[in-house]
Amino acid sequence: FMREIVQIRGRALRYASSDVKKDPFIAILAYKNDPFSLVYAAPSLFADATFIREVVQIDGKALQYASSD
């Protein structure tokens, strides 16, 4: 259900459960619709190098969200 919603309105990720916010696939779908939606993704995703690489491939500006760890 959330996959369809975030594809239409990325910022809907804000209202998703914490488990959904941890899903990198859903976070990327939301980001593709609305780059600002990334602020609602689970913080743990920003320490995931694979997730960050995928998001940066979409838009290099996303690198600002990467964890320094």
Side-chain angles (χ1 to χ4, degrees), residues 16 19 23 25 28 36-38 40 49 59-60:
D19 285 341
D23 185 322
F25 181 74
I28 289 170
F36 183 78
S37 66
L38 208 53
Y40 302 118
D59 182 357

Side-chain angles (χ1 to χ4, degrees), residues 1-23 26-42:
F1 174 73
M2 280 306 293
R3 289 180 182 187
E4 291 83 14
I5 298 298
V6 299
Q7 285 180 307
I8 297 167
R9 179 125 173 112
R11 291 186 196 198
L13 186 60
R14 175 182 187 179
Y15 305 105
S17 70
S18 58
D19 285 341
V20 170
K21 290 179 180 181
K22 291 177 188 174
D23 185 322
I26 291 178
I28 289 170
L29 288 176
Y31 183 73
K32 285 180 179 179
N33 176 268
D34 181 352
F36 183 78
S37 66
L38 208 53
V39 301
Y40 302 118

